[in-house]
Amino acid sequence: MFWRILKKDLKRKKTMNVIILLFVIICSTFASASINNIVAVTNGVDHFYEISNVPDIEVNMNEGSEAYNRVAAEPSVTEIKKLDLLMIMSSKSFSLHGEKLDTFINPAYLMSDEDMIMNFFDEDNKKITEVEKGKFYSTTVFLDGLDIKKGDEVTIKVENTEITLEYAGYFKGAMLPTSMGSSPYLLINREDYRYLDASPDMHIYDDVVSTDIFFIKTDDLPAVMDILEDYSDVSTYTPEEAKTMYLLDMVTAYILMIVSILLMITAFVVLRFTTGFTISEEFREIGVMKAVGITNPSIRRLYIVKYFAIAIVGAIIGFLISIPLANYMLKTISMNLVLEGGDTTYIGFISTVFVVAIIMLFCYNSTSKIKKLSPIDAVRNGQTGERFKKKSVMHLSRSRGSSTGFLAMNDVASAPKRYIMITVIIALGMLMTSIMASWSRTLRDDKLHPLFSIVESDATIMDTETMGDVIIEDDGYITVLDDIEQRLEDNGMPARVAVTMINSTDATYEGEHLNVLAEFQEGHFDNTFSYDEGTAPSKPDEIAVTSSVMKMLDVDIGDTLSIKLGDEYRSFIITGKYSSFASPGVRFCDHFDLTDVPKNGCMGIQVKFTDDLTQKQLSDNIEKLKDLFDTNKIYSTSEFISLNTGIGDTLESLRVLTLILTVMVTAMVVVLMERSFISREKSEIALMKAVGISNFSIIAQHTIRFVITAVAASFLSFLAVKPLSEFGMNLVCSMIGDVSSVECTYNTVEMYLLQPAILIAATIISAFLTATYTRTIKASDTASIE
Amino acid sequence: MNTVLQTKGLCKTYIVNKRQNNVLKNVDLTIYEGEMVAIMGPSGSGKSTLLYCASGMDKVTAGEVIFDGKNISKLRNKAMSRVRLDDMGFIFQQMYMMKNLSILDNIILPAVKSKKNKESRKASAERGRALMKRLGIDDVSTNDINEVSGGQLQRACICRSMINSPKIIFADEPTGSLNRSSSDEVMEELLSLNGDGTTIMCVTHDPKVAAKCSRVLYLVDGNIVGEKEMGHYDKSSGDIRSRERELNNWLMEQGW
């Protein structure tokens, strides 16, 4: 009997069933792919670190230094391995096909296969035991922007020392940076390494710096950390810190999971609605079944079996689609880590089963209405079994304007619950798209420059050589900046230049120590930074700090902090609090005297043209700068922000995907609801036709009802988008750095006009096309309606 | 007398499960102004189909329907809707109304939609209230449709059918779902309308209803097989019993 009922029902409500099926497919596809991805990456990272035999801590310090000796003497330390690295400052020391590379910004590191302090893996996840002489492996960072394939030859040339190595593929190393813009690592044969290491060229020029990294295994990590905290010139890196770099790779998965949850909620609401509709349409049949003694659970099963069939078919299709999608999502991350062996498809399968279970639970709950009906209720209640509970809330006789508009508005006002539900669904879609748009725009907006500790400027020079000059030339950096200004002047681009120097150092307050990132704005124009609290430091003995410094050292504005600059500690009064991704951070006053202050790096060199330039002239100047400095690494401020956040483009792609999905879901919800409404209002439609109301008028009335909901959804979304965008953005930013009160950027036209227009258009088109189905209802159907 | 409605060779065929079902077969019918014509016949004889085809609610398979001198059988949907809205009134067995509108709004909806009277909504509402008063339901004008009795609802439907002052009212079993007293009340109103000159075509099973009509047509298998002139019913003459007896005898002759 179930099969017969199912077959009949599936046939009778084809469109509605197809739409529900589509919902289930989308839900299970996204749920399965995103959960699979998150679980695979989370487990994969742990697995990768385990098989890589990572140390407990990575420390950058000098062999034989006091810090080294104290760590070596610590009883809990079981092993210290030293990794020799050759740090090549500029990508221009590399050439491919005879052309110098101008790709990576940060220095590249060369490693010897003799010094593989942990396990590295090749593209096929095979452990690398040695590198063939004359060949090299690289991390994927090296491949960014590079058209290289296995067998291609790369030449490394520093002064008179040159070596040509053949590319053998990329390799995966735990704790090695993977984000674009970070330092690439090259693994080479020990003989090749020795050849380079033995050359004086590799040690006497600024282009190459030899550096030591120690990998320490210990039974008591806090004890080692306690020792190292005493040394401001020592930097540490733990596996737990390293694992956070994969978070970015999971952002897409997390967003897809949120989308799938929202879709699931939508699907459930739609299911509940349609189930309720079906039951209210079939009160008479239900009454008869009850009258002849069929039990409530049996009647409920009749309805549930249909949704079970749809859920199963949808889930299977969704699961099958999710497999390639999950693989695609894992493609990038699997280039950087060895995912756990074996098939993770079962995770997707479990998610799919979970989706089916939730749908069935929801359906079971939706059929509870059956329980409340007595046989008499069901048979007596009106022609279609519906109860007239609604009161007319508006009055045609007192209204103005089009009668069709009135009827539509009156329908919406008479069934607010029904239309509020549709409004909320459409508003959720609009919100998702708008939030994504504002995030992607914000993360590429140049107004974020203070968070990256750079002054407001027109362009940033990120060329490694120039940046190296600024850092290495000790206190001669002013001369370097002067030279740059002169070069710009000579080339018809009068400008002022500035630089933000970074120094990792120790800050102390009442016996507590904290390693902080000290930043110094130097150069020929002042910053325009704003402060969350207090004022900007304006004297040499004043500083501003980020919130974590205040929290960790328990200091506040007005307190005096000791900061190690060079070999001595100096006292500074805290005048303000600021937001920054470089945290815990300390900001000094402009043009602070950096004599004898070590500099670990800089955030590029900022250029502010003194002429009042148009956008086009600005772009032209950036191109001229590229020629002048012989590098592509000249960025506008928004490009610099985008490069540093790294996720703006991903969010932009997701925004487009979300917009497409929202349009699809809105269209499906509208079609499904309108078909339900038509089915429910068949008698009224026939009556309207009988009394002479035209088809067009009826179609218009049905369409306007959805236009009202879409417009209401737009307003709802307008009201919520700013607080929600900023809440989400600040939440994420505060996790990454000491950042609060970020104001999101909105494209007014896009957010208030274009996106709502797209969704309202989708609503109108789907409502109109579906409403044309009312044409099939004839005036004479008044006779055959039960 | 002027002809209001005429059908010539009216045929209606339904195809059900690939089988042809000829419901109306060359029906010729003429209804004159001021008449109240009852259509009777056994179940499945085509009474309602005739009413729907004659009123343009359903398309005819063949033949012509001449309404107010115009052939309406070939009219497009939009034009046909306009004719129904402006010049025809409808009363159904079930008291169909828009459930989101009050009784008064239901009544004036055709007036608001029609361009015939070119009046304000306020004026339409006034006319609606006047009709409701006439039919004795003015106290329920702001009520929802679930707040009134079946008889009141059917009288409201009559008001709606009257709102655009139609040339003819089509009534399909107007008393079919009412009890006897409500049925009598509704018939009183229809007779009163007819007395005011409104032409009425009424499908009914009830000889008591048909006995009050001026003419009765008897339909069997899609053909009009009998026609009886009953003359205008005058309530004051008190001849209803004799009219009913006369009609019953005639119906028995027809095979009722």
Side-chain angles (χ1 to χ4, degrees):
Chain A
M1 185 167 83
F2 280 173
W3 175 241
R4 262 187 291 133
I5 290 173
L6 179 65
K7 204 171 146 189
K8 191 181 149 200
D9 195 278
L10 290 175
K11 224 173 179 180
R12 211 172 61 178
K13 291 176 180 149
K14 223 184 315 179
T15 314
M16 284 162 77
N17 292 330
V18 165
I19 290 172
I20 293 172
L21 179 72
L22 283 174
F23 266 113
V24 179
I25 292 173
I26 298 175
C27 274
S28 51
T29 304
F30 283 5
S32 173
S34 57
I35 294 172
N36 185 353
N37 188 279
I38 290 164
V39 174
V41 174
T42 312
N43 290 346
V45 171
D46 289 338
H47 168 75
F48 181 47
Y49 274 57
E50 201 181 310
I51 60 168
S52 297
N53 192 24
V54 291
D56 295 308
I57 188 167
E58 178 186 313
V59 185
N60 200 333
M61 59 184 172
N62 293 323
E63 193 169 13
S65 65
E66 187 186 320
Y68 178 87
N69 293 334
R70 280 183 65 193
V71 169
E74 163 63 35
S76 67
V77 172
T78 53
E79 188 181 16
I80 299 181
K81 277 186 184 174
K82 181 185 159 192
L83 172 64
D84 279 323
L85 290 170
L86 283 173
M87 182 168 80
I88 300 181
M89 295 299 283
S90 172
S91 63
K92 287 178 187 162
S93 298
F94 294 77
S95 52
L96 173 69
H97 307 308
E99 276 187 30
K100 282 184 177 178
L101 301 189
D102 190 16
T103 48
F104 49 90
I105 295 166
N106 282 303
Y109 292 93
L110 299 186
M111 287 191 292
S112 163
D113 64 352
E114 198 175 20
D115 265 343
M116 289 195 288
I117 32 69
M118 55 184 156
N119 298 330
F120 296 130
F121 300 87
D122 66 10
E123 290 179 28
D124 300 322
N125 296 335
K126 286 190 187 124
K127 188 180 157 186
I128 299 172
T129 48
E130 62 173 343
V131 181
E132 212 177 304
K133 192 175 178 325
K135 291 192 175 183
F136 77 100
Y137 290 96
S138 74
T139 54
T140 52
V141 181
F142 184 75
L143 311 178
D144 188 29
L146 207 60
D147 182 21
I148 189 169
K149 53 185 182 301
K150 281 183 191 173
D152 283 351
E153 290 187 336
V154 170
T155 303
I156 304 168
K157 184 173 188 294
V158 177
E159 289 301 315
N160 297 318
T161 307
E162 186 178 324
I163 190 167
T164 297
L165 301 171
E166 185 188 315
Y167 177 62
Y170 62 83
F171 80 101
K172 306 169 186 183
M175 297 186 76
L176 298 183
T178 59
S179 61
M180 293 311 157
S182 53
S183 285
Y185 281 70
L186 274 67
L187 187 61
I188 62 175
N189 176 269
R190 61 200 71 182
E191 285 179 39
D192 295 331
Y193 187 88
R194 277 183 210 140
Y195 162 73
L196 288 170
D197 199 26
S199 163
D201 287 339
M202 303 301 284
H203 298 282
I204 58 168
Y205 291 103
D206 293 338
D207 288 347
V208 183
V209 177
S210 179
T211 182
D212 296 337
I213 296 177
F214 293 92
F215 290 79
I216 300 168
K217 287 205 168 181
T218 171
D219 299 329
D220 188 359
L221 184 61
V224 176
M225 292 292 275
D226 275 350
I227 295 171
L228 295 171
E229 269 174 12
D230 294 343
Y231 302 95
S232 59
D233 55 343
V234 169
S235 62
T236 60
Y237 195 45
T238 63
E240 288 313 310
E241 285 168 344
K243 282 177 188 177
T244 57
M245 69 186 159
Y246 301 104
L247 281 177
L248 214 60
D249 292 307
M250 287 194 282
V251 165
T252 312
Y254 275 114
I255 290 175
L256 272 188
M257 196 171 70
I258 293 167
V259 170
S260 81
I261 290 169
L262 288 177
L263 276 172
M264 250 187 272
I265 294 169
T266 310
F268 294 152
V269 173
V270 168
L271 271 176
R272 189 180 179 85
F273 190 74
T274 46
T275 319
F277 252 11
T278 311
I279 291 168
S280 64
E281 267 184 345
E282 292 171 9
F283 267 42
R284 188 159 285 175
E285 286 93 327
I286 294 166
V288 171
M289 282 192 268
K290 287 200 170 193
V292 299
I294 299 176
T295 58
N296 279 328
S298 302
I299 300 173
R300 286 175 88 167
R301 266 207 302 278
L302 288 178
Y303 290 92
I304 290 167
V305 73
K306 176 180 99 172
Y307 294 108
F308 183 67
I310 292 176
I312 289 286
V313 172
I316 291 171
I317 298 172
F319 172 65
L320 292 175
I321 298 172
S322 79
I323 297 171
L325 180 66
N327 289 340
Y328 177 75
M329 285 165 73
L330 283 174
K331 199 176 158 192
T332 314
I333 197 159
S334 63
M335 286 174 79
N336 292 322
L337 52 82
V338 180
L339 291 171
E340 208 162 358
D343 201 356
T344 54
T345 319
Y346 74 95
I347 297 161
F349 182 74
I350 293 168
S351 324
T352 310
V353 172
F354 186 64
V355 169
V356 174
I358 295 179
I359 290 174
M360 292 325 296
L361 251 171
F362 209 83
C363 283
Y364 188 75
N365 182 262
S366 305
T367 56
S368 61
K369 209 174 173 183
I370 289 171
K371 251 190 340 190
K372 293 176 191 156
L373 292 169
S374 75
I376 300 299
D377 269 335
V379 177
R380 271 189 189 162
N381 261 315
Q383 297 86 13
T384 56
E386 65 193 345
R387 296 171 188 208
F388 298 132
K389 279 184 183 167
K390 306 285 182 290
K391 280 186 78 76
S392 50
V393 287
M394 295 168 70
H395 297 282
L396 179 60
S397 47
R398 292 178 216 155
S399 69
R400 284 161 188 236
S402 127
S403 56
T404 306
F406 167 83
L407 288 172
M409 185 66 90
N410 185 50
D411 286 344
V412 175
S414 303
K417 211 170 140 189
R418 191 186 299 171
Y419 289 96
I420 284 173
M421 190 192 74
I422 304 170
T423 305
V424 169
I425 290 173
I426 300 175
L428 275 177
M430 279 190 186
L431 262 178
M432 268 199 316
T433 321
S434 299
I435 289 174
M436 218 80 88
S438 82
W439 285 1
S440 93
R441 197 163 283 278
T442 306
L443 292 174
R444 288 180 294 175
D445 191 349
D446 48 10
K447 80 177 178 193
L448 284 192
H449 67 89
L451 302 181
F452 293 94
S453 305
I454 64 163
V455 293
E456 191 180 357
S457 56
D458 296 320
T460 294
I461 302 168
M462 295 291 285
D463 176 48
T464 324
E465 285 174 13
T466 317
M467 289 201 301
D469 288 346
V470 170
I471 301 163
I472 294 160
E473 290 293 319
D474 199 21
D475 56 349
Y477 61 90
I478 296 290
T479 319
V480 177
L481 297 183
D482 287 342
D483 287 348
I484 295 171
E485 277 188 9
Q486 192 57 52
R487 279 175 81 184
L488 296 177
E489 179 84 47
D490 295 345
N491 285 276
M493 293 180 284
R496 311 301 277 162
V497 293
V499 64
T500 301
M501 299 288 196
I502 303 288
N503 174 24
S504 173
T505 188
D506 181 53
T508 174
Y509 181 75
E510 292 181 353
E512 290 291 320
H513 288 267
L514 181 69
N515 195 279
V516 295
L517 286 169
E519 58 179 74
F520 310 89
Q521 272 75 46
E522 306 293 332
H524 299 145
F525 61 94
D526 294 340
N527 73 66
T528 51
F529 295 153
S530 60
Y531 288 79
D532 299 341
E533 283 173 35
T535 54
S538 56
K539 294 178 189 161
D541 61 347
E542 290 180 349
I543 50 164
V545 297
T546 61
S547 58
S548 61
V549 175
M550 286 183 157
K551 202 173 151 193
M552 290 158 128
L553 291 178
D554 194 21
V555 291
D556 212 331
I557 294 168
D559 289 338
T560 302
L561 207 60
S562 284
I563 296 173
K564 190 179 180 189
L565 293 176
D567 296 329
E568 57 171 357
Y569 279 91
R570 289 194 233 167
S571 295
F572 297 91
I573 300 165
I574 302 170
T575 62
K577 187 177 105 174
Y578 69 99
S579 288
S580 176
F581 286 120
S583 68
V586 173
R587 182 178 288 160
F588 291 74
C589 69
D590 282 356
H591 318 298
F592 187 85
D593 182 8
L594 287 178
T595 313
D596 299 331
V597 176
K599 297 166 281 284
N600 297 135
C602 72
M603 300 298 286
I605 294 134
Q606 282 68 51
V607 179
K608 193 170 189 176
F609 298 109
T610 49
D611 290 342
D612 195 12
L613 302 178
T614 61
Q615 196 57 44
K616 166 85 176 61
Q617 287 168 323
L618 196 61
S619 305
D620 291 346
N621 275 6
I622 288 175
E623 289 309 310
K624 274 159 84 177
L625 281 177
K626 286 179 183 174
D627 291 339
L628 194 61
F629 289 90
D630 189 25
T631 180
N632 285 323
K633 293 165 199 158
I634 312 281
Y635 304 102
S636 67
T637 307
S638 72
E639 283 169 344
F640 175 85
I641 303 292
S642 188
L643 185 78
N644 278 279
T645 55
I647 195 175
D649 293 337
T650 310
L651 281 176
E652 181 57 20
S653 313
L654 280 172
R655 181 188 76 85
V656 176
L657 175 74
T658 316
L659 182 63
I660 294 168
L661 267 173
T662 305
V663 168
M664 273 171 60
V665 169
T666 305
M668 288 198 303
V669 168
V670 169
V671 171
L672 191 91
M673 293 299 179
E674 175 56 11
R675 280 303 292 263
S676 309
F677 294 161
I678 292 172
S679 155
R680 197 183 174 93
E681 295 165 16
K682 199 172 172 186
S683 60
E684 292 195 6
I685 295 165
L687 170 72
M688 289 172 86
K689 291 196 176 185
V691 298
I693 296 172
S694 66
N695 272 326
F696 179 77
S697 185
I698 294 168
I699 292 169
Q701 179 193 341
H702 280 239
T703 308
I704 292 169
R705 300 197 295 207
F706 285 96
V707 174
I708 293 167
T709 58
V711 172
S714 304
F715 279 111
L716 205 65
S717 142
F718 295 162
L719 288 177
V721 69
K722 279 197 175 184
L724 285 179
S725 297
E726 277 164 23
F727 172 77
M729 175 58 73
N730 281 298
L731 189 75
V732 175
C733 288
S734 64
M735 284 190 228
I736 303 169
D738 285 351
V739 176
S740 61
S741 60
V742 175
E743 278 182 23
C744 286
T745 312
Y746 307 94
N747 181 334
T748 319
V749 175
E750 184 183 69
M751 192 168 74
Y752 292 117
L753 205 72
L754 206 62
Q755 281 181 185
I758 291 172
L759 280 167
I760 291 172
T763 307
I764 293 175
I765 292 167
S766 9
F768 179 81
L769 292 176
T770 317
T772 54
Y773 185 72
T774 56
R775 295 169 77 100
T776 60
I777 299 170
K778 291 179 288 182
S780 58
D781 288 342
T782 39
S784 54
I785 292 164
E786 282 181 359
Chain B
M1 270 201 291
N2 293 330
T3 303
V4 175
L5 183 79
Q6 191 176 24
T7 67
K8 292 178 183 171
L10 184 62
C11 293
K12 179 70 185 177
T13 303
Y14 291 110
I15 309 286
V16 181
N17 291 335
K18 295 180 185 172
R19 288 180 62 181
Q20 191 171 303
N21 183 12
N22 300 317
V23 182
L24 297 176
K25 299 163 187 163
N26 293 312
V27 176
D28 293 326
L29 160 77
T30 304
I31 295 176
Y32 300 101
E33 198 176 279
E35 267 197 309
M36 185 165 173
V37 179
I39 314 286
M40 296 193 76
S43 292
S45 58
K47 305 184 293 293
S48 292
T49 307
L50 175 62
L51 185 127
Y52 293 137
C53 286
S55 63
M57 280 168 61
D58 209 349
K59 293 270 180 210
V60 301
T61 309
E64 285 181 356
V65 179
I66 316 290
F67 173 70
D68 200 21
K70 282 177 279 190
N71 182 357
I72 61 167
S73 53
K74 298 278 187 275
L75 284 182
R76 296 175 72 94
N77 276 343
K78 198 175 170 184
M80 192 60 239
S81 292
R82 183 62 57 201
V83 171
R84 279 205 303 274
L85 185 65
D86 293 344
D87 298 320
M88 295 177 178
F90 295 88
I91 305 164
F92 304 97
Q93 180 179 357
Q94 301 292 349
M95 288 72 80
Y96 296 126
M97 286 220 165
M98 312 288 286
K99 60 178 176 287
N100 291 338
L101 296 179
S102 68
I103 300 280
L104 177 64
D105 284 349
N106 263 291
I107 290 169
I108 67 167
L109 180 62
V112 171
K113 286 283 180 188
S114 171
K115 289 173 185 155
K116 187 180 173 183
N117 294 311
K118 289 177 184 156
E119 62 185 0
S120 67
R121 267 176 215 177
K122 205 174 163 189
S124 300
E126 279 310 311
R127 285 201 301 112
R129 280 194 199 95
L131 276 169
M132 291 181 84
K133 193 171 182 185
R134 181 178 154 185
L135 269 72
I137 53 168
D138 52 329
D139 53 334
V140 296
S141 64
T142 56
N143 285 34
D144 273 9
I145 60 170
N146 59 327
E147 294 170 340
V148 297
S149 70
Q152 285 175 314
L153 205 55
Q154 192 61 303
R155 273 184 280 170
C157 289
I158 295 172
C159 290
R160 184 181 60 197
S161 71
M162 286 299 298
I163 194 74
N164 283 341
S165 311
K167 293 191 170 79
I168 186 168
I169 290 177
F170 295 94
D172 186 9
E173 302 273 13
T175 60
S177 57
L178 299 175
N179 59 28
R180 177 49 62 191
S181 67
S182 295
S183 170
D184 287 345
E185 284 169 16
V186 166
M187 274 317 290
E188 285 301 316
E189 301 304 342
L190 288 176
L191 286 168
S192 164
L193 290 179
N194 182 238
D196 292 344
T198 309
T199 311
I200 297 173
M201 179 178 174
C202 173
V203 168
T204 183
H205 267 106
D206 189 350
K208 282 182 187 296
V209 170
K212 289 170 183 168
C213 295
S214 53
R215 187 153 57 111
V216 180
L217 300 174
Y218 195 78
L219 211 62
V220 176
D221 290 339
N223 294 305
I224 295 177
V225 294
E227 182 175 346
K228 180 159 182 67
E229 280 293 343
M230 301 285 291
H232 185 69
Y233 169 61
D234 183 3
K235 194 184 169 188
S236 58
S237 68
D239 64 344
I240 187 65
R241 287 197 181 281
S242 60
R243 283 173 75 98
E244 279 177 19
R245 207 174 300 123
E246 188 186 336
L247 180 65
N248 279 334
N249 288 337
W250 179 76
L251 285 171
M252 278 162 64
E253 283 169 22
Q254 303 302 315
W256 179 251

